Amino acid sequence: MPVQDFAAPPPPGPARERPAPSVLLARLIAFGGCALIVALGFWQMLLVFGGQVQPLQWALLVFFTLTFGWVGFSFCSLLAGLIAQQPQTPADPGEARIAVVMPVYHEDPADSMGLLAALADELAAAGMADRAEIFVLSDSRDPDFFAAETLAVAALRETCPLPVWYRRRTDNTGRKAGNIAEFVRRWGGCYDQMVVLDADSVVGGTVIREMSARMSADPALALIQTIPMLVGGQTLFSRVIQFAGRVYGPPIARGVAAWSGDDGNFWGHNAMIRVRAFAACCGLPELPGNPPFGGTILSHDFVEAALLRRAGWKVRLDWDLRASYEGSPPTLLDMAVRERRWAQGNLQHLRLIGARGFSWISRVHFTIGILGFLMSPVWLAMILVGLALTAKVILSKPEYFPNSYQLFPDWPTFDSTRMTWLLAAAMGLLLVPKFVAVIRAWRRPLAANAGGRSRILASALFETVLSALIAPVQMLIQTRQIAEILRGRNSGWESQVRKGSMPPWRLVLSRHWIHVASGLAVLAVVAMLSPGQLIWLSPILAGLILSPAISRWTASPVFGRWARMAGLLVTPEERQTPELLVASGAQIRRLRQDGSATLALGADPAAMARHRALLAPLPARPAAERLPAIAAAAKIAAASSQAEALSFLDRGEKAALLSDPHLLAAWAALPR
């Protein structure tokens, strides 16, 4: 898996095929339609200002055109999905050897192993037990997770019909991408295909069988991305995005698949990859310079898809494969933490978007990812410029005769009627795709499985209102994040929060006071200068002023249960839980362990033997790097019991203990 040079020619691969006529038509609809909407928006906004356009008006014109084009592209992309061709699965399942790969980093091992256990049973039922294996690739550095992971893997192995392998890295170079790359370099040659999962995601065994058959039938196909459906949401916030993803997601993804064709994208998980192609094309370098723009490539999935495509390999989004699931962020604050890392990774793509050999569609995927975060400061700038223009008109005295001996006055022009229609058109482009998705759901079993047509419509209206209140808060959060990135602040690497809790008032007030202050300040100024503007600004101001309450209450599982009992935000997976998710829940309960996993090792020689069997051989290291192990040995020798020894050890010494068979033997010999 050689490290790639973005300035060098791509490695050899299949010859690129011409896009199918349906793909070309979809691109014409998506990009041609967007260009037409941008041109119309620019032209109509120019007419709003009349003759001479002032500098602030030019700024508003630019920001409005960008936002108008952004919502217009989403609308046109949805239209392009109407002509998407459904992929077909060959009858021959193939004989490819498959590795199911799950990277973990400070995750609840029972949850992750439970998903793998249920998947393994489905793979066996699909007739793939003889050619599929499971890899758990740990990057955990906190010793509290070491023993819990090995015990959970050992428990999984006891009943799993597939081989299960476990490896924990001590060198976390490259983060998740480096974790996968090390697997490919060390073991990838044993497998033809690999399915990459997240620690909270899973793909059905039948879907894996279909993906394998499709990839085996097309020797140029290197990556198949599925559409993960969000499941398991308990809080009101997670249920809102879970419902939105379930109802609006499929038609949007179908549109993206239609215009992407063989130039699809990779979302980092719930995808099947041809190992040989990935190894040849996707070795990622460290970017020169310091983070946030240098160092490890964070949003590696977009880059890996582009690298595969530049070598001629096909990358596809197969929107028809539905048994693909993942968890959702539980709260607005947890979502902001995730978006901070995504924002940094996507802005890193500014350095890579011009790399040699990338297809223009790959560059479009990069651009969409970048604009997904840059549109927040653009939207904020448009609002601020609009307020400045309003203040200028109200506070300044117009000059009707700017030139001496001027016979006719220059009347200020502003076409408010045309402006109203423009705003209505923008709202239409934003909301019509949602209601198209609702009508689509009405015509499918989705509506019946989610409580009926009236429940779907009520849920969509509820989601729209709540999303409108959350949007201005996310706008300010993302704008601050981008400012931090531009100032050189790195996001770091922390584990994701899978199970949130209702934050206390002190926390939400400390995080959202700036949003409340901003909303109140704008409210006071606009109320004095132009009260009529409050009609247009009311959703934004309400979201900002109420942000602490919204952040806290949407994080409540109680309100989540209330919505569920009221029939709001219900998805088919809740009313008829897929067998895969039911089985994973049972496996999670079986694998869950009470108490300290480390103490369990000392109490159970069989568990200790299993843990030691999963340890990597200790490398030769200089004495300076062995100081934690030396200190741990001395403290264990001085302790009178296992519990006392653990109380003596700091984090580094505990990590040394759980990684060293000799230290474990000495510690286990102590009385319990």
Side-chain angles (χ1 to χ4, degrees):
M1 190 171 181
V3 173
Q4 298 297 304
D5 183 351
F6 293 107
R16 289 193 187 182
E17 301 177 5
R18 291 181 59 84
S22 60
V23 175
L24 294 176
L25 180 57
R27 290 175 181 177
L28 179 62
I29 295 172
F31 301 111
C34 178
L36 180 61
I37 287 174
V38 168
L40 287 174
F42 182 87
W43 174 46
Q44 291 298 307
M45 193 65 170
L46 200 59
L47 293 178
V48 167
F49 295 136
Q52 295 183 349
V53 182
Q54 303 300 316
L56 276 179
Q57 292 175 328
W58 277 115
L60 183 61
L61 179 63
V62 171
F63 294 136
F64 173 82
T65 303
L66 285 172
T67 54
F68 199 66
W70 180 251
V71 296
F73 177 72
S74 298
F75 175 78
C76 294
S77 181
L78 182 77
L79 293 180
L82 298 176
I83 61 170
Q85 300 294 311
Q86 180 170 344
Q88 300 298 316
T89 302
D92 183 5
E95 299 179 352
R97 289 187 57 79
I98 301 169
V100 178
V101 178
M102 177 181 280
V104 297
Y105 176 68
H106 296 166
E107 303 285 351
D108 185 326
D111 289 348
S112 300
M113 298 310 110
L115 292 171
L116 292 175
L119 171 57
D121 291 338
E122 284 208 355
L123 287 171
M128 301 181 67
D130 60 336
R131 59 189 182 97
E133 301 183 12
I134 292 174
F135 279 80
V136 180
L137 308 176
S138 173
D139 255 343
S140 298
R141 294 176 289 181
D142 188 334
D144 290 335
F145 290 88
F146 294 178
E149 288 177 354
T150 57
L151 291 180
V153 168
L156 171 61
R157 282 178 162 180
E158 292 175 357
T159 58
C160 187
L162 273 61
V164 180
W165 306 94
Y166 171 84
R167 184 271 289 131
R168 181 174 62 83
R169 287 199 303 170
T170 56
D171 178 8
N172 303 126
T173 301
R175 303 187 182 186
K176 178 182 175 181
N179 197 354
I180 297 293
E182 192 203 38
F183 161 77
V184 171
R185 291 186 174 110
R186 295 184 64 180
W187 299 289
C190 298
Y191 307 94
D192 304 298
Q193 302 160 353
M194 65 178 177
V195 176
V196 179
L197 302 174
D198 260 358
D200 67 339
S201 75
V202 70
V203 179
T206 304
V207 169
I208 291 178
R209 190 174 186 272
E210 289 187 73
M211 288 194 292
S212 180
R214 294 178 184 185
M215 188 169 286
S216 298
D218 187 347
L221 181 57
L223 192 148
I224 300 175
Q225 175 67 62
T226 65
I227 308 172
M229 296 297 173
L230 299 176
V231 294
Q234 300 297 320
T235 66
L236 190 59
F237 180 83
S238 62
R239 293 181 61 80
V240 164
I241 60 175
Q242 180 175 288
F243 173 84
R246 186 64 179 88
V247 176
Y248 314 143
I252 292 173
R254 182 170 176 169
V256 174
W259 56 258
S260 294
D262 294 332
D263 293 83
N265 206 0
F266 178 33
W267 299 337
H269 57 90
N270 290 41
M272 174 170 279
I273 301 172
R274 188 182 297 274
V275 179
R276 180 172 60 87
F278 191 81
C281 301
C282 296
L284 298 181
E286 290 281 311
L287 296 179
N290 296 322
F293 289 101
T296 300
I297 297 175
L298 298 185
S299 295
H300 55 89
D301 37 15
F302 282 46
V303 181
E304 289 159 347
L307 288 170
L308 286 169
R309 190 58 187 145
R310 79 165 183 163
W313 295 99
K314 296 179 183 178
V315 177
R316 273 197 341 227
L317 170 60
D318 282 6
W319 51 270
D320 62 315
L321 300 173
R322 294 299 173 82
S324 177
Y325 311 103
E326 68 171 318
S328 58
T331 71
L332 176 60
L333 296 179
D334 294 323
M335 184 68 176
V337 173
R338 296 191 186 194
E339 287 184 337
R340 175 61 175 82
R341 184 167 61 250
W342 295 339
Q344 181 174 328
N346 285 13
L347 289 185
Q348 268 186 331
H349 294 162
L350 289 169
R351 299 187 60 177
L352 304 174
I353 194 171
R356 180 176 179 179
F358 283 170
S359 71
W360 73 273
I361 292 293
S362 293
R363 301 186 205 275
V364 167
H365 289 306
F366 283 135
T367 303
I368 292 172
I370 294 167
L371 288 178
F373 289 94
L374 290 184
M375 289 310 299
S376 286
V378 168
W379 182 26
L380 177 60
M382 184 180 70
I383 294 172
L384 295 177
V385 170
L387 292 175
L389 275 171
T390 301
K392 181 180 179 181
V393 170
I394 293 173
L395 299 177
S396 62
K397 182 179 180 180
E399 189 175 356
Y400 300 107
F401 295 92
N403 299 319
S404 301
Y405 310 106
Q406 185 173 334
L407 182 59
F408 299 102
D410 288 341
W411 299 109
T413 57
F414 184 84
D415 192 339
S416 59
T417 302
R418 192 184 301 272
M419 186 69 197
T420 301
W421 280 108
L422 266 179
L423 291 176
M427 292 301 297
L429 292 173
L430 189 65
L431 296 177
V432 165
K434 291 191 174 188
F435 288 100
V436 169
V438 170
I439 294 172
R440 173 185 174 275
W442 281 356
R443 300 178 62 182
R444 295 170 179 264
L446 173 60
N449 294 337
R453 293 184 175 184
S454 60
R455 298 294 188 186
I456 285 279
L457 179 59
S459 298
L461 294 174
F462 183 86
E463 180 276 332
T464 300
V465 171
L466 192 56
S467 295
L469 293 174
I470 292 174
V473 181
Q474 290 184 308
M475 171 188 69
L476 292 185
I477 289 174
Q478 290 181 352
T479 301
R480 186 204 68 213
Q481 291 172 342
I482 291 172
E484 291 174 350
I485 293 168
L486 295 177
R487 291 201 305 266
R489 182 177 174 185
N490 188 22
S491 67
W493 188 28
E494 298 297 333
S495 58
Q496 296 190 19
V497 177
R498 311 289 185 188
K499 302 173 184 178
S501 58
M502 190 170 179
W505 281 110
R506 178 182 299 176
L507 177 61
V508 295
L509 289 174
S510 67
R511 297 291 182 88
H512 295 293
W513 71 267
I514 187 65
H515 308 142
V516 176
S518 301
L520 291 174
V522 173
L523 174 65
V525 172
V526 175
M528 288 189 298
L529 297 180
S530 180
Q533 297 284 346
L534 293 177
I535 297 175
W536 302 102
L537 293 173
S538 57
I540 297 174
L541 297 179
L544 294 176
I545 295 171
L546 298 175
S547 57
I550 293 172
S551 182
R552 176 175 162 81
W553 291 338
T554 58
S556 169
V558 174
F559 286 122
R561 287 193 294 271
W562 168 83
R564 173 70 179 86
M565 290 187 293
L568 292 175
L569 309 174
V570 177
T571 62
E573 289 74 22
E574 290 181 294
R575 293 174 63 89
Q576 295 180 351
T577 307
E579 292 183 7
L580 176 63
L581 300 181
V582 173
S584 67
Q587 293 285 0
I588 289 170
R589 289 189 293 273
R590 180 179 72 85
L591 296 171
R592 182 81 65 201
Q593 295 186 2
D594 297 326
S596 168
T598 304
L599 288 176
L601 293 182
D604 185 352
M608 175 66 77
R610 289 193 293 267
H611 175 81
R612 293 177 61 178
L614 291 173
L615 295 179
L618 289 174
R621 292 173 297 176
E625 296 182 12
R626 291 187 287 108
L627 289 178
I630 295 171
K635 292 180 179 180
I636 291 171
S640 58
S641 68
Q642 294 177 0
E644 186 179 45
L646 291 179
S647 69
F648 289 164
L649 304 180
D650 61 23
R651 175 172 169 169
E653 293 160 355
K654 188 175 181 181
L657 165 66
L658 292 170
S659 304
D660 189 327
H662 302 293
L663 290 177
L664 284 169
W667 173 74
L670 293 173
R672 294 200 301 272

